[in-house]
Amino acid sequence: MASGSKTVIIAALAGNLLIAVTKFIAAAFTGSAAMMAEGIHSTVDTGNQGLLLYGMKRAKRPADARFPFGYGKEMYFWSFMVAVLIFAVGSGISIYEGVNRLLHPHPIESPMINYIVLGLAMLFEGVAWFIAAKEFNRVKGKWGVFEAVRRGKDPGAFLVLFEDSAAMLGLVVAFVALLAGQLTGIEIFDGIASICIGIILAITAVWLAIETKGLLIGEAANQHVVRDIREVVSTHDAVAKVNEVLTMHVGPNFILANISVRFAPGLSGEQIQADIERMDRDIKARCENVKRIFIEAERSADQTTAGAPNHKPHDGETAGAAS
């Protein structure tokens, strides 16, 4: 999944860089506010893909004393920053350019240049969108689009697709405004288009921010992962009851699990420890993204009387075991 996301991001970065250059050239020749807004949009998108690649690289760093669970959440931080930049820079400047053009309208020169640039932009953006959509469809499986975004834990899998979709919609708006202005002679269509592009970017940014916020602050694993963990633990004969199963995504492919278990009475500390180690292996074999597991052994009244689980926890163990 990470490899697929990286390919999508690189394709989008290359496409947006080419598009930004052509749009700015067209805006300089024609004086179109909508084309300037589109150029800004593509520049912001290019920077965003750079940030995502940087975040992916930072997230791969190994765990250390300062960050014992690794740096996986850096991907979520930079994804959130992408949403902020889309809103603050892309949307803000596009709306400003549109309002300025409404207050000071003037005719667009050489509109044919804009048509050519918009056609090239649609071609470049369409290729990037196709690659992003193909990867997203592979990742989402049987889920619908909105359900896949809600359940997804890898922002790179859907963020680029959303950006490219917003870009394609913005290109359509710019084309319609350019055509309407040319056919009617009404100069304010250009400014209206720029404002519409800014609104599209604002909506996209808010949605992306909402989707990445939960991951950034510690979103749980999907319910089917929690269910699988509970099923694996409950199949062990030494387990009398599975209580809490708490999970958190430390990165797109790194889940931290904390499990509260009540063991059957009469077991020795060594037996409990051995079964905890088997649970660890079984959970990781079934749930490949579960990397760290903490199992807390709750003591029943019978166990406390028998003294079985009153063994001294080893390093990293809390009323049970950690692995």
Side-chain angles (χ1 to χ4, degrees), residues 273-291:
Q273 182 62 35
D275 206 68
I276 285 174
E277 291 173 359
R278 285 194 293 272
M279 285 184 219
D280 176 80
R281 290 194 298 269
D282 293 346
I283 292 170
K284 289 177 179 177
R286 183 163 175 178
C287 309
E288 62 179 359
N289 287 338
V290 178
K291 307 298 185 184

Side-chain angles (χ1 to χ4, degrees), residues 15-29 35 38-39 42 113-114 116-122 124 171:
N16 280 314
L17 184 60
L18 291 172
I19 294 167
V21 172
T22 55
K23 286 176 179 176
F24 279 128
I25 291 174
F29 276 100
M35 191 57 65
E38 276 296 303
S42 296
I113 295 177
N114 279 346
I116 294 172
V117 170
L118 286 173
L120 291 173
M122 287 181 179
F124 296 145
L171 289 171

